Amino acid sequence: MDATALLLLVDIVDSGGLSQAARKRRMSRANVSYHLSQLEKAVGLQLVRRTTRRIEATEAGRKLCQHGRAIRDELLAAQESVASLAEGLHGHVRLAVPTGFGQLVMSGWLIAFKRLHPSITLELVFDNRVDDLLRDEVDVAVRVMSEPPPGLVARELAPMRHIACASVGFAARHPLPQRLEDLQHLPIVTSTVVGRELRLAAYRGEERRELALQPTLASENFQFLHEAILADLGVGLVPDYLVAADVAAGRVVTALDDWRLSLFGTRLFLLRMPDRYQTLAVRTLIDFVLDQARDWAAPHA
């Protein structure tokens, strides 16, 4: 059995298609297809089948992939251990972080990480998608959600809480919401995720309410949302960390404080693929982020 073809089978299954594996290997699709067909002839069994969306392994393909991943991981570990003797801790990590939390909180963590580990190449993706672990070959993703997706390894980092807030200037001219339903009659400044309906979930003790909202100003740029709230443009529905300093300084006031509000989830998770090899650089970054999140979450708990 050709070991190279076996490793290529792992890439085909993990990436979900011949074209994706070809791009990863910098090979032509025809060449990938040829090696796959030769491997199937060698074992005498079909190893993959095409569904409407992607290529999936057959039972024989899954068994071979298990062995192929073990071989791949041992090769990567061997290369890494030898390279570390000459070069120290190095490698490449591709990390996806949420637009708001990533820019306003995690940026400082990651700058500190780079100072500690200058030889690690760190590539950051700021977006709010969940499926980029497969599509973009991201090593690690940090995401806000209520429950992690099935099939991914998840570590909870911190609780996430949205608040209703407004500048003191806006509050001086408009009554702040006393009931959840009041939000439907006020100008709302909040974040959006493309393609998803904006629904506010609210929790108080055992009670859970849900409210559909039509914001008058919406953006994925959290710095812009912060400026819009301070400019008296409406009631902000934003993460508490966005305006914490303004609340402490008396520039912003909060409302509906007896409710715990959520737009996109109540918890922050670190996600990774279960079958993807974790280099020492990836493991080092994960440990660093876990430590930073633990320290950050302590006063927010």
Side-chain angles (χ1 to χ4, degrees):
M1 183 180 298
D2 184 358
T4 300
L6 181 58
L7 296 178
L8 186 56
L9 173 66
V10 173
D11 286 341
I12 292 170
V13 173
D14 286 352
S15 62
L18 300 182
S19 298
Q20 296 90 322
R23 284 196 297 271
K24 180 178 180 180
R25 287 296 190 99
R26 293 188 172 92
M27 299 169 60
S28 68
R29 189 182 185 283
N31 200 5
V32 170
S33 179
Y34 170 77
H35 284 290
L36 174 62
S37 65
Q38 291 299 108
L39 182 61
E40 289 182 324
K41 286 180 182 178
V43 299
L45 294 167
Q46 181 182 2
L47 300 178
V48 299
R49 55 174 172 266
R50 183 178 297 278
T51 67
T52 55
R53 298 182 61 184
R54 55 186 283 122
I55 280 181
E56 294 181 350
T58 62
E59 183 179 357
R62 287 193 296 272
K63 290 184 178 298
L64 277 182
C65 278
Q66 290 176 355
H67 294 287
R69 291 189 185 99
I71 293 171
R72 176 201 61 192
D73 293 351
E74 285 297 324
L75 287 172
L76 289 171
Q79 294 170 357
E80 191 174 65
S81 63
V82 172
S84 64
L85 293 175
E87 304 175 21
L89 182 57
H90 72 290
H92 179 276
V93 184
R94 185 173 167 86
L95 170 68
V97 296
T99 54
F101 192 80
Q103 292 166 357
L104 299 173
V105 178
M106 291 191 69
S107 292
W109 302 356
L110 299 173
I111 288 171
F113 178 83
K114 274 297 293 178
R115 286 176 175 154
L116 286 172
H117 305 288
S119 296
I120 293 180
T121 301
L122 188 59
E123 183 179 357
L124 298 180
V125 180
F126 289 87
D127 67 31
N128 298 313
R129 299 174 299 181
V130 177
D131 59 346
D132 50 8
L133 279 166
L134 275 174
R135 183 180 60 248
D136 295 335
E137 296 182 354
V138 170
D139 296 300
V140 184
V142 175
R143 290 290 175 262
V144 177
M145 53 186 58
S146 294
E147 295 293 337
L152 296 182
V153 178
R155 297 285 298 274
E156 186 171 351
L157 298 179
M160 287 284 105
R161 180 172 179 259
H162 276 65
I163 59 173
C165 62
S167 66
V168 292
F170 181 90
R173 298 190 300 271
H174 306 273
L176 292 181
Q178 302 298 312
R179 304 173 304 136
L180 288 173
E181 293 77 8
D182 295 340
L183 293 171
Q184 295 177 316
H185 309 292
L186 289 166
I188 299 297
V189 178
T190 191
S191 55
T192 59
V193 172
V194 175
R196 289 177 58 175
E197 182 183 21
L198 185 62
R199 299 191 69 84
L200 175 70
Y203 306 85
R204 185 172 60 184
E206 298 298 319
E207 183 181 3
R208 183 186 186 278
R209 300 274 302 280
E210 195 168 289
L211 198 67
L213 295 175
Q214 296 292 330
T216 55
L217 183 60
S219 173
E220 290 188 353
N221 186 314
F222 279 68
Q223 184 59 42
F224 173 75
L225 295 177
H226 179 248
E227 294 175 5
I229 292 168
L230 294 180
D232 308 342
L233 295 184
V235 174
L237 290 177
V238 293
D240 56 358
Y241 61 80
L242 183 64
V243 294
D246 303 291
V247 172
R251 293 185 293 267
V252 168
V253 293
T254 62
L256 302 173
D257 293 334
D258 54 335
W259 290 93
R260 183 164 55 93
L261 306 179
S262 171
L263 285 177
F264 307 115
T266 56
R267 296 184 286 170
L268 185 74
F269 289 96
L270 185 147
L271 307 171
R272 64 177 180 84
M273 295 292 293
D275 298 322
R276 188 170 294 167
Y277 176 70
Q278 289 181 266
T279 65
L280 182 56
V282 171
R283 297 196 300 272
T284 301
L285 177 63
I286 289 175
D287 290 342
F288 184 85
V289 169
L290 289 172
D291 287 342
Q292 294 294 312
R294 190 178 303 113
D295 292 342
W296 180 85
H300 293 78

